[in-house]
Amino acid sequence: MNPYPPALTGVPPVCRPSADSGERWTFGFPGGLTAEVHTRGARLHGLWVPDRFGTLADVVLAPRDPALTATAARYFGATVGRYANRIAHGRFSLDGKPYQLTTQQDGHCLHGGTDGFDTRLWEAESVHTPEWTGVLLHLRSPDGDQGFPGNLDITVSCLVGRDNELSFSYTAVTDAPTLVNLTNHAYFNLEGEGTGDVLDHELTVDASHYTPVDADLIPSGDHRPLPGTAFDLRRPLRIARALARPGADGGYDHNFVLSPHGGATPRRAAFLHAPATGRCMEVLTTEPGLQVYTAGQFDGTVLGKSGTPYRAGAGIALETQHFPDSPNRPGDPSPVLRPGDEYRSSTVLRFSTRY
């Protein structure tokens, strides 16, 4: 189990040099949540959450060796963009003009390309009120970055609330039509990082449909209703039981179409519960989709902060975002941002306990 960070007294966030040549910000409230954010990748590196007895544990997966955030643990806790998830073959057209993005080994563009926002050093400043404390992170992505058009200015706020909430808010403006789809890619284990897997967690997803995918995880057809499929999580279900269903193939890495979705006010998207500790995490978002990834490809290569190798199911990512490959799917919510408009997205993680 990871040690609790230095005691906080509600003062503004504490900033220290980080091993990845950036900064490490720690902030929170005594007896409640405490978060650690790194400016390399605008990355959530740790989150200490009380269990049903008030015992704090870090519930966010991260590598012991910071260098792995450039390779095997690249997306752990990072802010990913310009476009979270996949764009088929890295190609799309906007206003009749074709664009080619950088692509990964499978030939598709994932999480913004080969040099996405997760690799960048963000600028940070502290925010502190009686009810919220945290950081604002800023980045400029230049025109042509990874093949995307337009200069894009992004601000991400990561704030801890006194009522045990962790809030991510994203804003962006551009000087030319472009695509924007941002999210945080943290993996959670509500029993505590390094304690094993999340297969005994119970998961609920407030979705009406999911997105079938092909072998490259590119959408392969229209959104499919959940009833009768391996992806029906409208009622709480133990993750091990869900993944044992025919068609789940031992793991999820799929987009769920939230119902209802969109709007200016965050609505509940999912609820995660660890019966062993009583910790609960409610996910609320303004985004239309939720990518559920149960880390089925983890193979022990990454050694976690506690010294434990991360194997299949060591954590779960619940990524609030637009749908995969939506620039090439006219029926999906549009990720296009135009000059004079502002991209706005908000996700709140609300923590509680059950006995």
Side-chain angles (χ1 to χ4, degrees), residues 43 61-78 118 187 298 301-303 310:
R43 192 177 302 269
L61 275 59
R64 170 174 281 190
D65 180 2
L68 288 181
T69 58
T71 55
R74 176 174 171 181
Y75 301 118
F76 280 46
D118 61 287
Y187 293 96
F298 285 13
T301 299
V302 175
L303 197 67
Y310 291 152

Side-chain angles (χ1 to χ4, degrees), residues 9-355:
T9 57
V11 299
V14 176
C15 177
R16 299 182 178 89
S18 174
D20 59 3
S21 301
E23 297 172 344
R24 182 176 73 248
W25 290 80
T26 303
F27 48 92
F29 292 98
L33 304 185
T34 294
E36 182 177 294
V37 168
H38 290 197
T39 54
R40 178 70 66 181
R43 192 177 302 269
L44 180 66
H45 185 77
L47 184 67
W48 284 261
V49 179
D51 68 5
R52 61 167 65 94
F53 301 113
T55 302
L56 292 158
D58 184 358
V59 301
V60 168
L61 275 59
R64 170 174 281 190
D65 180 2
L68 288 181
T69 58
T71 55
R74 176 174 171 181
Y75 301 118
F76 280 46
T79 297
V80 293
R82 280 186 199 190
Y83 194 91
N85 217 310
R86 292 164 177 82
I87 297 177
H89 309 295
R91 296 196 292 264
F92 69 95
S93 293
L94 180 55
D95 296 337
K97 182 178 179 178
Y99 292 91
Q100 177 65 59
L101 307 174
T102 62
T103 57
Q104 279 84 339
Q105 290 180 348
D106 61 1
H108 306 294
C109 183
L110 173 65
H111 295 327
T114 55
D115 183 23
F117 293 173
D118 61 287
T119 70
R120 312 296 172 81
L121 189 61
W122 294 59
E123 296 181 356
E125 60 179 309
S126 67
V127 177
H128 184 72
T129 73
E131 299 300 322
W132 295 91
T133 187
V135 291
L136 297 180
L137 299 131
H138 307 285
L139 182 72
R140 164 161 273 218
S141 174
D143 179 35
D145 188 3
Q146 305 305 294
F148 289 97
N151 294 296
L152 188 72
D153 291 298
I154 312 107
T155 297
V156 177
S157 75
C158 182
L159 304 176
V160 165
R162 193 175 290 276
D163 292 332
N164 283 349
E165 292 182 341
L166 179 67
S167 169
F168 293 99
S169 294
Y170 309 83
T171 60
V173 293
T174 183
D175 60 4
T178 191
L179 307 180
V180 188
N181 178 31
L182 306 175
T183 195
N184 181 272
H185 202 298
Y187 293 96
F188 295 94
N189 184 329
L190 298 184
E191 293 182 10
E193 178 273 337
T195 59
D197 58 47
V198 297
L199 296 182
D200 284 334
H201 286 41
E202 296 172 348
L203 178 62
T204 309
V205 178
D206 297 334
S208 58
H209 294 67
Y210 81 101
T211 303
V213 293
D214 62 19
D216 288 343
L217 299 176
I218 301 295
S220 59
D222 294 334
H223 305 308
R224 186 173 299 171
L226 290 175
T229 73
F231 304 92
D232 191 351
L233 297 170
R234 293 173 297 165
R235 296 179 180 176
L237 190 64
R238 197 167 150 262
I239 291 176
R241 182 178 175 188
L243 299 187
R245 289 169 162 174
D249 298 325
Y252 292 156
D253 193 358
H254 294 75
N255 170 64
F256 286 72
V257 179
L258 300 177
S259 178
H261 64 258
T265 302
R267 300 192 180 194
R268 197 181 93 154
F271 192 87
L272 186 67
H273 172 223
T277 63
R279 292 189 186 93
C280 302
M281 185 177 78
E282 184 179 23
V283 182
L284 304 98
T285 187
T286 58
E287 286 297 300
L290 180 74
Q291 186 81 9
V292 177
Y293 178 41
T294 53
Q297 295 180 335
F298 285 13
D299 60 4
T301 299
V302 175
L303 197 67
K305 291 176 285 189
S306 61
T308 302
Y310 291 152
R311 304 196 184 279
I316 183 171
L318 300 171
E319 306 160 56
T320 55
Q321 56 188 260
H322 274 51
F323 305 157
D325 201 33
S326 64
N328 297 311
R329 297 171 60 85
D332 288 351
S334 173
V336 174
L337 178 68
R338 298 187 180 278
D341 294 335
E342 183 180 47
Y343 171 87
R344 300 182 68 88
S345 176
S346 181
T347 293
V348 177
L349 306 180
R350 183 177 295 162
F351 292 87
S352 60
T353 55
R354 289 180 176 176
Y355 285 88

